Every structure is written in C-alpha cells, then in structure tokens.
Amino acid sequence: MVAPHGTAKTDPQDDLATRLRLIQELSGLGVRALARDTGLSSSSLSRYLSGQSVPPWPAVIALCRLVKRDPRPLRPIWERASNPLPAPPKTSRQVIPPSPPASAPRPPRNDLPRDVPDFTGREAALATVLAAVETSRVVAVDGMAGVGKTCLAVHAAHELTAAYPDAQLYLDLHGFTDGRPPLGPDPALRTLLAALDVPSEKIPQEGGIEPLAACWRAELATRRAVVVLDNVADAEQVRPLLPGAGPSVALITSRNRLLGLEEVPPVSLDVLSPEESAQLLARASGDPTGPDGRLARDPEAAAEVLRLCGHLPLALRLAAARLRHRPGWTVGILVERMAEGASEFDTAFAMSVRQLDRAQRRLFRLLGLLSGSSFDEYVVAALAGVPLRDARAYLEDLLDAHLVQQPAAGRYTLHDLVHQHARRTTVEQDSPAEREQALSRVLDYYVHAAAAADAAMPFLSPSRAVSAGPPPAELPVFTSKYSALLWFASEYTNLMGIFEAAVATGADAHVCELPRFMRAFFARRCGTTHLNVLFERSLAAARRLGDPVNLAEAHSDLGFARYNAGRMAEAGAEYAAAVPLVSQTGDARSAAELTMRRGYLRWDEGYVEEPLGLFREAGQLYADAGYHLGTAYATAYEAWATLQLGNREQAALLARRALDIQDSDPAGAPTLTARITLGVAIAREQPEEAVEHLNQALALAREDGHRHNEAWCLNCLGVALRQMGRYEEALDSHRQAFALMDELFVEHWKIHFLNGYAETCRLAGLPEEALRLHRETLELAPKLGNRHAEAQAHEGIAAVLDESDPAAATGHREAGQAILRELEPLT
C-alpha cells in the first residue's frame, strides 16, 4: 500500500555527513573525544560531521573501526561526495531518472523570538549563562514572573547562534500559563522533532516517553543546535527534553528553581538594580539623555515609575511604551495612571489597556479566552466576530501598546502575565453569554479551517461537508497541500487545545468532526498515537449524539487509526462495528471508503483474493456515488491485487482503466498504484512502455517527497527489470529501495519487498543472498501476521534449494502449500 510520507533528497556530501554523524551517535563520544580516539583533529572532524568538507577515505575507515562497523557500504557514497558529477542527460533508454537537480540547501531552523534591541543590564547573568553552556551544555534560568528570564535566554541563544548553526529552536512549555495545563513531554517532543523535519517514520508511536526522548537525543547528537525551553513547570516536565551525547545545548527558564535537575547549573535572576531599571526605562521610552529629557526633569516621578514597576523588565517596558507614544505626557501623568491599579503588573497592563478604544479593549479582553501558544488574525476575527481587516488593525494597535507580541510574520502571542490580565478582565467585564458565544465562534472557525486545509491535501476521498456550526466570514486560503501542512503544523497546539475545549463544553458535533479533518496531517507528520486518542473521544461523542452517520464514520475512522498504528485486530473490530451502521446510512461514498479500508487491512494481513473482492466492491460503490477519482483508486488497487494472483493481462487492463478514469477527472491526483501495476504487468511483452510507466511513478513519488512511495517504485522497477532479464539493473533498483527503507527505519514495510528482491537474486546467480532474504521474510512474517508472504518465502527457498538439497526444498514447498491451504477458506 502507498504511505504518504517523505523528506527531501540530499546531495552525496550531505548524505555522507549524515552517516558519519550516525557513527558518532553510536560511539557516544563528543567531537573532541572522538577525534582523540581516531587520531583526527577536532576541527577537521567538525567539518566532516557538518558536511563542510569530505574526509579522506582513511578517516572514514578510522571512524567505522572505532564503532566496529564495516566501512565498505560507505565507499560509493564517499566516492560520489569526493567526485561529484553532473547528472547524465536523460534518454529514452534511461531506466531510473536522476534525482532532481540539487537546489539551494534549506536554511537551518530558527524560530527564536526576536532579540530585544534595548537589552539592558544582566551582564553578569549573561556571562554565567554562556559559561554554563560551555561547560555543562544545559543551564536553567529561574526567577519570578516578569523578571526577564525569557529575554535573557533568548538573548543568550542569539549570541550562541554562530556556534550552533544547525538549528535554533524555541518551545513554550506553558508551565505557568493561565487557563491551560503545562505541555506534556509527549507533545513537546513531537513538536521539537517536527521542527527538525524528522520524518514521522523515525518517530516512535508506541512505548511512552522514553523512545521519543531517545529519538530526540539521537537527532540532537548529530547537530550543533541551541534549544530554548521556556516556561517550565518542574524538572519532570523538562527532563525528557534535555540533550544527551553530542554538542547541542539547551537553555531552560522557569519560575521555580528546578532542584530535581541536580546536574544542570542554575542561574537565578533578581529584579533589575535601580540604575539598570532607569537605564531600561530611558532606552525603551526613547527619552533623550541629558537634562532636557522628561525623566531627568522629574527624577522623583521617574523613581516612582520604577517603584510601581517593581524594577521588573516587563512592567518597565509596558510603562515605557506608553511614555514613548504619548509625547505630551509628563512622567507625573504616567505615575498617576499607573497608581490607579492594584498591583505592579495589573497597574501597567490596565494603564496600557485604558489607552485603547472600546473595540480594541473588548478584543484584548477576549484574547484571554484563547489557550494556544500563538494565534493568527483569522482566529482573532472569529473570536471577536469582526471583519478580518478590523482584526488586523486591532492587532497592530495592541502590538504598538506591547500588549501583543509578534514572534513571526502572521503569528501573534500574549505574554503569560498579559494573558492572565486579559483573562481576568474578560471574566470581570464580559457576560458569561458573550464569553460562551466567543468560544463557540472559535470552535466553529477551527473546524471549518481544518476542513479547508484537509481539502487541499486529500487522503483518498475528501471528508464530507462540515455540519458543526456556521462557517466564519473569512478563512485562510490554501493554495497547495504544502501550505495546508504548514497551517496544520503552526496551529497544532491550538487545534489540540480547541478539541479539549470542545470536549469540556460538551460540543459533541465539533468533537466528532475535528479529528476527521486532521487525518491526512496526522498521517504525514504526527504519527498515530494522538489520532487514536482523538478518534476514541470522537466515537464517544458520536454515541452521545446518537446520529447514525456520525457514529458510522467514527467507528470507521477509529478503525483506520488502529490500522495505521499496527493494531490490526482492533482495526478489524471497529470496521465490523461500522459495516452495519454505514449500510443503514445509505451513503455510497462512506461505504466505499470503509470497503477500501477493509481491503487495506486484509491485504496487510497477508490475504490477496479477499482484498481483491473488496477493492472491486469499493470501485462500484464509488461509481454509484459519482466519485470518479475514488473509482480510479479502487480500480488501481484491484489491478494490483490481480497482479499478485499472477493474472498479468487482466491486471494491465485494470490499471489502464484506472489511468483512463483519473485522466478524465481534471481534479484527480496521479495514481501511483496504477502506473506501478501496469509497469510490472507488461514488463515482458512491452518493456519500453513498462519502464516509462515506472519512471513516471518514481518521478511523481520523488516530486511529492514520499520516500515510502519512492522505495515502492524502485522495488517494483527491480521486479520489472528482472522480468526483462536485466539482472544487474534490477539488483541496483532493489538495493536503492532497501537503502531508502533503512534510512526510514521501516522494517515492517520490507515484508512486501523481500521475496521479490530474493527472486531477482536467485535468477541473477546469487543463491546465498536469495536464501538470506527469504529467511528474513520467514522471521518477519509471523510478527506481522502475513501468512501469504510466509508461504511465498517457503516457495522461494524451495526454488533455490531444488538442485543443491532436494529434500529440504520439498519440505519448504510443502510448508508453503500448507499455509496457502489454510488461507483458502478465509479468502
């Protein structure tokens, strides 16, 4: 089956550097220790590991010997990196098209907040932080709210950027965010791994926090990265996020001293000194130096401002902003406005809010209802029920007043203290009905926005129309699946937060629908663990609603989540529950989608004839529903199953029919399955056309960044080339496919490729390699429950042993036939 996953291709020098960093990870050594043990210079080794230069071959050998690994598999990569050649011109006889020309490398990830231009004081604290990073690689900055912990950590991270060029990451763990729980280690680790563009195939989906933390540490070990972990609640929340071996560093901030992190040196911040506070107030307010400045003309009032702000940087900046934007004010007027409040924080915040007009003040209060770490102008427009242009203008005003921050273009955030103030004031000044209506508009917005993003990246058939609430006046425009993926990634924590809000408020229609529109995103980026939890709760909501359509889809969706998690028995149970419910709805498209899913499940369980019937049934259901692209997909999978049963002529006919259906639908996505099936089916009789179809499929997979699909195409190309008698080319194609799967860490996918690769080895005169691959299948198949692959492996071993050991060959052949007889009644 086709799995939509993938990452960009790398050039040979980057590829070699990646392999060398894996060797460093296996060694468990830092750069200096690794250089010492291999006899290399640490500066040269750093260049080799970062991909800045290609090491001499003896250096590669030395590194491999240190970790007891055979260096020979790296020789072809080293040669390509040492002697890069231009891609050969494309000809009609070319079998495997070259990878796309190397584009400019992606810049390293840097999502650090902006470094404040008026950073003031903290020289001793900054020096301590940088020294702690140098010696311990992790430092924890603690202090009271508003004291400038984040400002110091971010400033230090900007200072460290040149020394840690591979990534500069920032994550708010919401340890003290009013109205939302702290971010758990699981979503935090997944967010960080996604920020490093780690393919979801490499991210563990089961086993709890430890495998995720190990994956995160392994990724950091291959990079020089600086990570700011902001707003930490306690040691246990942040411990799994700390780097392990390797050069990467982490800067932690928390309002508490993290005594549980004994190995992490702390840096505790106090309030600014009076001199530093005065300097910050003057710089942030733009007050001229010398006797003519407002602060200098009224030193007593200036001292009172510092007192009311408690010498806290956040309060000082808010007060300075008011003074800067009110040139007619004296410092005495500023003191009067500040003194009207009840505390240093509320005084400063309320003073800023009072400068806004009525509509701006209302919007600021309602922002306190949002629980996510950042937001955009679309959700603000929905929250306040105002046009998008008004929301944009209000946000600009709040930015000027330093009540809203803008960490990146189009994204906004509230400081914790500002958020707390907004939340308190909306409770005090807005009625419960108005707050409930605002939250309802946000719920409606996110479901409709997720549906729009999902429509830009369809999974198989698009989800049905939204029924949970009216659509907002304006939604983001998604011009491609890539823009949709970016939106999902940016809004991930908000989507999870709004889902929890829907559960808490009993908005069951939203609980039912939101996960349905996130299936394609989860399949590509976030794995399956969270999706299973979401659909479990979606099913519970559907039961409460009692709507048969929602209930049928919830069972089907939960079954598909179980299937993607490898929980096959549970997937089958959910599908069985969905079948009668879908039948009752009379919805042909839902019935077709469920039938396709049942076919995928039975296919991965090792059956062929039963999935063939299910795909054929799904095709007819899609046709009855008038959904031609669905018919194309179903027909393509019917063709693939037919090919596995040995009927090449019928498989080719079905594959051509699928392509004809798809070509007649201008909105249809390219069908890889049909081209792959056709290429393998006609390889003997029409080799040139076969190679053309397989090359087109391979090009589509590479263009789409689906590395699973790329491996599938390469392996099938190897099967086709073998049928043409082009054994060396076939072996090369198989080897490329398995190299990709090794990079993706997808051992279970090999079950579909091993026997075909082994057969190519047998016919190419490599019997020992063929036996090894078939025996690997016999080890893997029982773990996955794939009896059909197990039977094929026995048959393959028998074919290899027919001449050298006839008795053993007979035993394996009988074992394979026995398994097939067991499967026959079940198909």
Side-chain angles (χ1 to χ4, degrees), residues 147-204:
V147 79
K149 302 179 295 297
T150 299
C151 187
L152 174 63
V154 169
H155 183 74
H158 280 283
E159 296 251 336
L160 293 166
T161 295
Y164 297 88
D166 294 334
Q168 299 85 40
L169 306 183
Y170 172 88
L171 182 63
D172 187 348
L173 294 175
H174 296 289
F176 301 91
T177 301
D178 190 25
R180 66 167 293 170
L183 189 66
D186 185 289
L189 286 164
R190 294 184 188 280
T191 299
L192 290 167
L193 288 165
L196 290 180
D197 285 333
V198 178
S200 59
E201 309 84 41
K202 291 180 63 177
I203 301 176

Side-chain angles (χ1 to χ4, degrees), residues 97-166:
S99 299
S103 57
R106 271 185 85 175
R109 177 69 174 253
N110 187 333
D111 52 18
L112 294 176
R114 177 173 174 264
D115 193 11
V116 294
D118 54 10
F119 186 81
T120 302
R122 305 298 191 199
E123 289 86 1
L126 178 61
T128 304
V129 167
L130 296 177
V133 166
E134 179 69 20
T135 57
S136 302
R137 297 191 301 111
V138 182
V139 63
V141 181
D142 59 70
M144 67 177 296
V147 79
K149 302 179 295 297
T150 299
C151 187
L152 174 63
V154 169
H155 183 74
H158 280 283
E159 296 251 336
L160 293 166
T161 295
Y164 297 88
D166 294 334

